[in-house]
Amino acid sequence: MEKHLHRRKQRKKRIIAMIILIIAVAASTFELATFLPTIGELNTPANSYISEYYIENAVEDTHSYNIVTAVLADYRGFDTLFETCVMFLSGITAMMVLSTKDKVSKSIEKKSDDVNIFESDIMDNAFRIIIPIIMIYGIYVLAHGEISLGGGFQAGALLASAYLLDKIIPGFRTVLDRITEEFALVVAGVGSFIYLSTGLLPMFNGGNFLEYGKLPFGSKSIETVGYLHSTGILLIEVGVTICVAGVIIAILEVVLERTSFDE
């Protein structure tokens, strides 16, 4: 009886806390709406002079021929860093929420080895061939994100997709199968650290945070500044890729290990 009353009290506290949180978020949202510019309004900075400035000066300022990458990795470097941190925090949140649930017995995996997931040997073997191709393409997307379509978020999602295929194909076990959710989350943290370190390094050379032209590599010639910009963008793209892939893999692992597929 006492346990039942204690549970009811805990449930009431959670409901009250949730209501307070919803009210606080709603109040903050309405407060922000009073001074933020209206979305789509023509006289806002984004629709008046900022976009035009990006188009005309992105290559000269950032030495990146892909304007999208120039905006995300240079002009909006702080915002992209926070997005990467949000990805990392989402992985931590998934671990905290699901860590209280019991893991499913590994005997399910042994049973699944005898099951044809796609009900076709051709499909299973085709996906085994596709996995390394996806990984190579993910690295290509990462390396060419500065000058063409692509970037860290896309590359990280591709690498995580290759991992997922490796996980679900029966009887196909590689070194990737030994990754745990804890290890994947540590890897995601390393990716965020790479991004943060790339931003901090210029400050030790007299520059500002994320000022790639002040990275402590090479000379200070104009050619070197362009090279340093490319290097800095590539480094943070690597950090984003590692973080995104690690977080997706961690969430997949924590869900798969606590889900029964018997039904």
Side-chain angles (χ1 to χ4, degrees), residues 82-92 153 185 243-245 247-248 251:
F82 294 145
E83 289 177 0
T84 306
C85 292
V86 167
M87 285 289 299
F88 181 54
L89 291 175
S90 67
I92 295 177
F153 289 98
L185 203 57
C243 180
V244 171
V247 168
I248 295 176
I251 294 175

Side-chain angles (χ1 to χ4, degrees), residues 137-159:
Y137 183 63
I139 296 173
Y140 171 83
V141 168
L142 165 64
H144 286 259
E146 181 196 357
I147 58 177
S148 62
L149 298 178
F153 289 98
Q154 297 89 333
L158 283 169
L159 295 177

Side-chain angles (χ1 to χ4, degrees), residues 60-209:
E60 182 180 355
D61 290 346
T62 68
H63 301 273
S64 173
Y65 292 96
N66 184 358
I67 297 180
V68 175
T69 300
V71 173
L72 294 178
D74 199 299
Y75 293 124
R76 261 187 52 191
F78 280 105
D79 186 60
T80 305
L81 173 60
F82 294 145
E83 289 177 0
T84 306
C85 292
V86 167
M87 285 289 299
F88 181 54
L89 291 175
S90 67
I92 295 177
T93 303
M95 290 279 293
M96 293 176 62
V97 171
L98 298 177
S99 61
T100 57
K101 297 185 178 181
D102 296 329
K103 293 185 179 182
V104 178
S105 174
K106 292 297 182 181
S107 61
I108 295 176
E109 286 190 8
K110 295 180 180 179
K111 292 179 182 179
S112 65
D113 289 344
D114 300 327
V115 179
N116 193 315
I117 299 297
F118 298 104
E119 299 182 353
S120 170
D121 291 333
I122 296 178
M123 289 293 293
D124 284 338
N125 292 324
F127 275 101
R128 294 177 186 180
I129 297 173
I130 288 175
I131 288 174
I133 296 176
I134 292 177
M135 296 184 70
I136 293 172
Y137 183 63
I139 296 173
Y140 171 83
V141 168
L142 165 64
H144 286 259
E146 181 196 357
I147 58 177
S148 62
L149 298 178
F153 289 98
Q154 297 89 333
L158 283 169
L159 295 177
S161 299
Y163 174 83
L164 175 61
L165 287 177
D166 172 84
K167 193 76 174 179
I168 66 176
I169 294 177
F172 186 56
R173 296 292 177 260
T174 65
V175 67
L176 297 177
D177 191 56
R178 302 177 183 177
I179 297 177
T180 62
E181 62 263 29
E182 293 85 1
F183 178 77
L185 203 57
V186 170
V187 171
V190 171
S192 300
F193 178 75
I194 291 174
Y195 197 136
L196 181 62
S197 299
T198 304
L200 291 174
L201 281 175
M203 299 179 68
F204 294 97
N205 199 30
N208 298 318
F209 186 74

